[in-house]
Structure formats: structure tokens, C-alpha cells
């Protein structure tokens, strides 16, 4: 059997038909492992911008690449790098990519990569900007599409970190979240919070940050509030919202005003509004 892992673009073009055989039949038989899962220390990234952002920021993290024939030209630089660095890639069809990702929105490019590094709170603060800065603290947000949209907004506005409970940070950023982030995941530091919220707040305050909890009602109007130079926005889970006891520990509680026709904004939309307000306040 010919090796299913192609090493250069010429091989990809010449071997299109063999390479596009079912991954289950070709790769699994060659490697003796399930093709539907990356190895234990890898995550399966998908989405064109997500994979290319990893290539741009952390090429050493790439372990395997799967690409559709229609994306060969678009991914030429990545595939050349794979060939030069003995990183295997395969040309496969869309059905195989859907099996690999369990999603239809793979955009023709998939990669098994090492997870994003996770920083301890103090480790991040030691590297954080000395003057103005903004970060997002998520309390219970689990939907990967919301998480991805928040990462995209965080990268767009230049906020320096996404703060997550340690258990959630340990799970890492999923391929679905990375795709929705459109490359933004590679530009945001992922930070693991300590177990006790008060410990996190104490450390943040010691470094000049102020925690602003977002609440549906009863908070200061966002557009009338004087925002601190170093802000940590605290946002709650999609359904339950911000935990009341956590919100009460914050330095300030903020509400985003609206018509009242709906109860509140989606958490990802709220994050974008808050980040926009923070960075508008610094200009």
C-alpha cells in the first residue's frame, strides 16, 4: 500500500485519487489507529482562517493536515512547509473532512495541533501591559460558538486575555470554537483562574485591574460609566447569567441599556459591546 501521507504538492496532485479514498480504509489500515480522533495531546482545529492562523503563529504546533482538493492552491504555503518539515498531509474529499470534524463547516482545511498554552493568572499578569488593558472573565460560558465569537471579538479589539475557571481552561479551546474565532484564538492568552473568586480578584486588584460584572438590570449604564484603565469584564453563563455572589464581589456592576423588548443580549454580543466601549474610552 502506498503511503497515504503526502509530502509535497506535486505528490498531492499526482496522487489525488488514492489520497481521496476513505480515511477509515486508508489511514486507519496504514497506522493502526482510529482516524476520527487526534492523539491524546492534540486538538483537531478546522476552518481555513483558524488553521492558517496557527500556521502563522505556532507552526511548530502542527502535527497533521487534511485538505480538500479545492483548497490546494489556497493552502500552498502551509503544504510546502509541511513537506519541508516532514509533517504529513493528506488530500481528502469533503465527506472525509466531515467525518474527521463531525461538522459541515470545515472549510476544506483541518489540522491536528498542540493545544493553546494555558497561563496561570500570575503568569499572565507578569506579562500584561503596564498601563491600559482589558480582559474577559467568563463564568460558566460553555457553548463553543459563543466562546469562539468572544475570542474573535477579544482578538479584534486587542484585549489581552480570556480568563476561565481552571477546570474549563484545562479542557482547552475546541475546534468548533477555533473555527468561529476565525483565527482569533491564536491572538488571545488563555488564563486559568484560581479556585476562589476572591483570590483572583485580590491578585487582579494588586496589579491595578478593576472587575466589572455585567448584570441584566440594576447596574450602572455602560454608556454613562467611567471605565477604568485596566478592566476585567465578568460575563455569566448563557442561560443563568452572572452568578449573583460573584457579581457582588466585583468592583462595579454594569448593565447594557436597551429597549427592553428582549431580556438581554447573547453573551458573545454583550462581550463585543463591552470591549468596544472599553477601547472607545481609551481614545
Amino acid at each position: 500500500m502506498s503511503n497515504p501521507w503526502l509530502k509535497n504538492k506535486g505528490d498531492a496532485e499526482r496522487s489525488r485519487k488514492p489520497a481521496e479514498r476513505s480515511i477509515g480504509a486508508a489511514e486507519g489500515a496504514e497506522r493502526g489507529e482510529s482516524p476520527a480522533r487526534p492523539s491524546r495531546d492534540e486538538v483537531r482545529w478546522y476552518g481555513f482562517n483558524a488553521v492558517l492562523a496557527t500556521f502563522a503563529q505556532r507552526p511548530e504546533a502542527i502535527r497533521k493536515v487534511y485538505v480538500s482538493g479545492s483548497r490546494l492552491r489556497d493552502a500552498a504555503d502551509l503544504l510546502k512547509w509541511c513537506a519541508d518539515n516532514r509533517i504529513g498531509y493528506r488530500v481528502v474529499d469533503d465527506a472525509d473532512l466531515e467525518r474527521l470534524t463531525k461538522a459541515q463547516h470545515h472549510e476544506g482545511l483541518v489540522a491536528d495541533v498542540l493545544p493553546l498554552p494555558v497561563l496561570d493568572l500570575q503568569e499572565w499578569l507578569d506579562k500584561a501591559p503596564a498601563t491600559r488593558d482589558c480582559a474577559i472573565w467568563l463564568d460558566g460560558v460553555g457553548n463553543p460558538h459563543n466562546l469562539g465569537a468572544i475570542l474573535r471579538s477579544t482578538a479584534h479589539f486587542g484585549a489581552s486575555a480570556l480568563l476561565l475557571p481552571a477546570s474549563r481552561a484545562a479542557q482547552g479551546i475546541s475546534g468548533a470554537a477555533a473555527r468561529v474565532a476565525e483565527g482569533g484564538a491564536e491572538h488571545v492568552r488563555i488564563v486559568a483562574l484560581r479556585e476562589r473568586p476572591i483570590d483572583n480578584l485580590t491578585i487582579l486588584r494588586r496589579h491595578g485591574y478593576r472587575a466589572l460584572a455585567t448584570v441584566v438590570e440594576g447596574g450602572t449604564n455602560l454608556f454613562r460609566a467611567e471605565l477604568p484603565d485596566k478592566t476585567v469584564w465578568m460575563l455569566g453563563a448563557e442561560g443563568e447569567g452572572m452568578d449573583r455572589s460573584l457579581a457582588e464581589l466585583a468592583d462595579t456592576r454594569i448593565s447594557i441599556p436597551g429597549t427592553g423588548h428582549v431580556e438581554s443580549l447573547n453573551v458573545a454580543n454583550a462581550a463585543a459591546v463591552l470591549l468596544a466601549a472599553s477601547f472607545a474610552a481609551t481614545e
Side-chain angles (χ1 to χ4, degrees):
M1 179 181 292
S2 61
N3 187 346
W5 292 100
L6 304 170
K7 295 300 183 182
N8 58 59
K9 188 174 180 180
D11 288 343
E13 296 287 1
R14 289 191 296 271
S15 305
R16 180 75 53 81
K17 289 185 182 303
E20 290 182 348
R21 287 178 298 176
S22 164
I23 291 178
E27 181 192 357
E30 183 76 12
R31 295 171 59 86
E33 62 188 21
S34 169
R37 299 178 183 175
S39 65
R40 188 171 299 177
D41 61 345
E42 298 168 359
V43 62
R44 182 152 286 160
W45 244 220
Y46 59 93
F48 199 76
N49 288 335
V51 173
L52 290 192
T54 301
F55 174 48
Q57 299 296 318
R58 298 186 298 139
E60 71 285 352
I62 298 173
R63 292 294 180 263
K64 292 186 284 290
V65 173
Y66 305 87
V67 60
S68 69
S70 63
R71 283 294 201 175
L72 282 172
R73 186 182 300 276
D74 298 331
D77 290 342
L78 168 61
L79 301 183
K80 181 181 185 303
W81 180 88
C82 287
D84 292 343
N85 290 274
R86 302 182 64 82
I87 301 297
Y89 71 85
R90 289 196 63 201
V91 183
V92 296
D93 60 25
D94 284 346
D96 283 326
L97 292 176
E98 289 180 19
R99 279 192 288 272
L100 285 165
T101 61
K102 298 180 174 61
Q104 294 182 332
H105 305 294
H106 48 71
E107 299 171 7
L109 190 60
V110 177
D112 291 344
V113 304
L114 297 180
L116 290 166
V118 177
L119 304 181
D120 172 76
L121 180 61
Q122 187 61 57
E123 187 181 6
W124 163 62
L125 289 168
D126 289 342
K127 301 176 181 179
T131 54
R132 294 184 180 274
D133 190 30
C134 182
I136 295 285
W137 173 333
L138 296 183
D139 174 40
V141 176
N143 182 291
H145 295 91
N146 282 334
L147 183 59
I150 291 169
L151 282 165
R152 183 174 183 174
S153 295
T154 304
H156 174 79
F157 287 106
S160 69
L162 187 68
L163 314 184
L164 301 171
S167 59
R168 178 63 190 85
Q171 296 174 23
I173 303 302
S174 70
R179 182 193 68 79
V180 175
E182 292 286 351
E186 294 289 347
H187 297 277
V188 180
R189 292 188 175 97
I190 307 300
V191 177
L193 292 163
R194 309 285 173 88
E195 183 176 353
R196 297 200 316 155
I198 191 62
D199 293 339
N200 296 306
L201 291 166
T202 299
I203 295 171
L204 288 166
R205 288 164 181 155
R206 190 183 303 146
H207 286 79
Y209 287 85
R210 294 295 176 263
L212 279 59
T214 55
V215 294
V216 173
E217 56 184 21
T220 301
N221 184 320
L222 169 65
F223 303 114
R224 296 176 184 170
E226 184 174 347
L227 301 180
D229 288 342
K230 302 181 80 172
T231 302
V232 174
W233 289 109
M234 304 170 73
L235 291 100
E238 291 93 344
E240 298 79 8
M242 171 68 63
D243 180 88
R244 182 178 296 275
S245 62
L246 180 58
E248 290 174 354
L249 292 173
D251 296 287
T252 306
R253 281 157 292 285
I254 297 288
S255 296
I256 300 173
T259 62
H261 297 326
V262 294
E263 182 181 17
S264 64
L265 290 172
N266 165 277
V267 64
N269 293 334
V273 171
L274 297 169
L275 289 167
S278 280
F279 286 93
T282 66
E283 295 181 354

